[in-house]
Amino acid sequence: MKYVADTHTHTIASGHAYSTLAEMAKAAAERGLEALAIAEHGPQLPGSCHPMYFRNYKAIDRHIFGVELLLGSELDIINYDGEVDLDEKDLKRLDIVLASIHTLCYTIGSRAENTRAYCKAMENPYVDIIGHADDGRMPVDYDELVRQARAHGKLLELNNSSLLPTCSRTNGYENMKLILKYCEKYEVPVTLGSDAHFFDRVGRFEEVEALLEEVGFPEELIVSTSLEKLKKHLHKFC
């Protein structure tokens, strides 16, 4: 299966990644991608971008090395009410918006509280994708998560980094299988993100691809195979 977009990467601007935007885009071109999302961490995460960084995305050409750039943010979900760390006026400017839970910005709660945090974040009209909800450190009701993604028209991410042995998140394989089970049941589309923090990981989906093949997940529910399919789920292009 050919994937044309990587919807989750970071540059040096995120504070703990190690390649420039140009290096990431060049790597995407070499991988044969049509589009690359640069989703810098929200300002709540230590060392990441000030809101002014996101406001100045207008300075960047959206097409370099033959790759379309989708410039946005991986927001931090900061509480059980699903609040995130950029204001509406800033979110409006972004091409793509992920919302994720990071332990540095969030107090891990009960299964019900963590599920509520994700589901309330989905009510934000500017959130397009829920990122790496597979993290076993935060128990989640995946049936409810996927049903709410369907109700709010949100994409769920398959994060390749979650399946790597170096990842600090836990139980990624088992939880991603559950997410895929419910996504197939409720016909909720997914997107693939490398979560690359260095140029050599851009567009690398080997672990997720193997899992998709293992469970026989339907190709029509994978938006990363078509830029047109992907953009139908991004608020900026709707």
Side-chain angles (χ1 to χ4, degrees), residues 208-224:
V208 161
E209 189 169 17
L211 179 55
L212 288 167
E213 194 171 312
E214 177 187 333
V215 302
F217 193 74
E219 183 176 348
E220 61 268 22
L221 291 178
I222 306 172
V223 303
S224 305

Side-chain angles (χ1 to χ4, degrees), residues 22-49:
E23 289 169 337
M24 300 292 276
K26 188 169 185 280
E30 291 170 352
R31 292 266 178 213
L33 297 181
E34 295 177 19
L36 176 69
I38 301 294
E40 307 294 11
H41 283 291
Q44 197 82 359
L45 201 72
S48 194
C49 309

Side-chain angles (χ1 to χ4, degrees), residues 22-128:
E23 289 169 337
M24 300 292 276
K26 188 169 185 280
E30 291 170 352
R31 292 266 178 213
L33 297 181
E34 295 177 19
L36 176 69
I38 301 294
E40 307 294 11
H41 283 291
Q44 197 82 359
L45 201 72
S48 194
C49 309
H50 186 276
M52 183 61 199
Y53 179 88
F54 301 103
R55 294 169 197 163
N56 202 43
Y57 272 152
K58 62 183 183 292
I60 303 172
D61 190 339
R62 290 303 200 271
H63 292 82
I64 59 175
F65 301 112
V67 175
E68 181 172 350
L69 297 181
L70 302 171
L71 302 180
S73 180
E74 182 189 12
L75 303 174
D76 298 293
I77 299 173
I78 59 177
N79 56 36
Y80 307 139
D81 290 325
E83 292 182 294
V84 294
D85 54 347
L86 279 179
D87 294 334
E88 180 178 355
K89 66 179 184 298
D90 294 320
L91 294 176
K92 285 180 178 179
R93 307 169 190 263
L94 304 182
D95 301 331
I96 189 167
V97 177
L98 293 79
S100 305
I101 290 177
H102 298 102
T103 54
L104 288 172
C105 308
Y106 176 87
T107 301
I108 297 173
S110 66
R111 187 169 185 254
E113 288 169 330
N114 299 329
T115 304
R116 173 182 166 83
Y118 280 123
C119 294
K120 293 296 287 185
M122 291 186 208
E123 295 178 10
N124 188 318
Y126 300 104
V127 169
D128 303 308

